[in-house]
Amino acid sequence: VTDREILSWQLFGEASRALAQEVADDGYEPDIILSIARGGLFVAGALGYALDVKNLHVMNVEFYSGVGKTLPMPVMLPPVPNAVDLSDKRVLVADDVADTGRTLELVRDFCADHVADVRCAVVYEKPSSLVKCEYVWRRTDRWINFPWSDQPPVTRREGQVLDA
Ligand code: 5GP
């Protein structure tokens, strides 16, 4: 028994495919997928293939510094996509989870000024999210372990230096 929601790589494959199907069934045909790094990169890549969209952009937004620990507000890190890249495009914003929703709010507001249409697709949405995403795979109020961040970064092992 765990108080966490665990997403395995296998389940992520099914989730991203189902999420793409929701977008397709809704008749939304995005010109651009805008991923929110880093977690959104996996989602955006999977959606890009499943929806046959090749135009992928990245935005870096930093908000969490640990489990349940946030910075005072989400901040955009450079490089920020320019308005020309997005102008008059149908944009699908892809992220792993809408928790407070403040990250997606920032990105959506940034897009709103420049684009024809902006919609959000997330694997998980928490009930407290102030942005209600158009496309959601699953809803939970638990902390989620994603397969890409549930292990610490690798470190160099001893005895692996072959070219000394
Ligand atoms: P928000 O701005 O919606 O509060 O948070 C968005 C970002 O915070 C997510 O893209 C993710 O990086 C991180 N985050 C929020 N909730 C969770 C969670 O339950 N598990 C993990 N691993 N990251 C989370």
Side-chain angles (χ1 to χ4, degrees), residues 32-108:
I32 288 178
I33 296 176
L34 178 58
S35 69
I36 307 179
R38 290 169 288 174
L41 283 167
F42 298 93
V43 184
L47 289 178
Y49 277 108
L51 295 170
D52 200 22
V53 175
K54 293 178 178 171
N55 200 345
L56 269 62
H57 287 242
V58 185
M59 239 171 110
N60 282 280
V61 182
E62 195 76 55
F63 191 23
Y64 283 73
S65 50
V67 176
K69 282 188 292 190
T70 61
L71 303 171
M73 58 167 64
V75 287
M76 275 186 226
L77 306 178
V80 172
N82 67 61
V84 179
D85 290 339
L86 305 176
S87 67
D88 295 320
K89 299 287 200 305
R90 288 183 301 268
V91 177
L92 183 65
V93 177
D95 206 355
D96 47 5
V97 49
D99 189 317
T100 64
R102 291 185 64 197
T103 300
L104 281 172
E105 180 188 46
L106 180 75
V107 174
R108 176 174 260 180

Side-chain angles (χ1 to χ4, degrees), residues 81-140:
N82 67 61
V84 179
D85 290 339
L86 305 176
S87 67
D88 295 320
K89 299 287 200 305
R90 288 183 301 268
V91 177
L92 183 65
V93 177
D95 206 355
D96 47 5
V97 49
D99 189 317
T100 64
R102 291 185 64 197
T103 300
L104 281 172
E105 180 188 46
L106 180 75
V107 174
R108 176 174 260 180
D109 289 352
F110 170 83
C111 287
D113 301 333
H114 323 292
V115 310
D117 198 349
V118 55
R119 301 187 193 179
C120 298
V122 292
V123 180
Y124 291 97
E125 184 178 273
K126 301 197 183 175
S128 51
S129 175
L130 57 89
V131 169
K132 301 300 168 200
C133 296
E134 285 80 1
Y135 310 110
V136 176
W137 177 65
R138 213 169 252 188
R139 296 172 201 279
T140 183

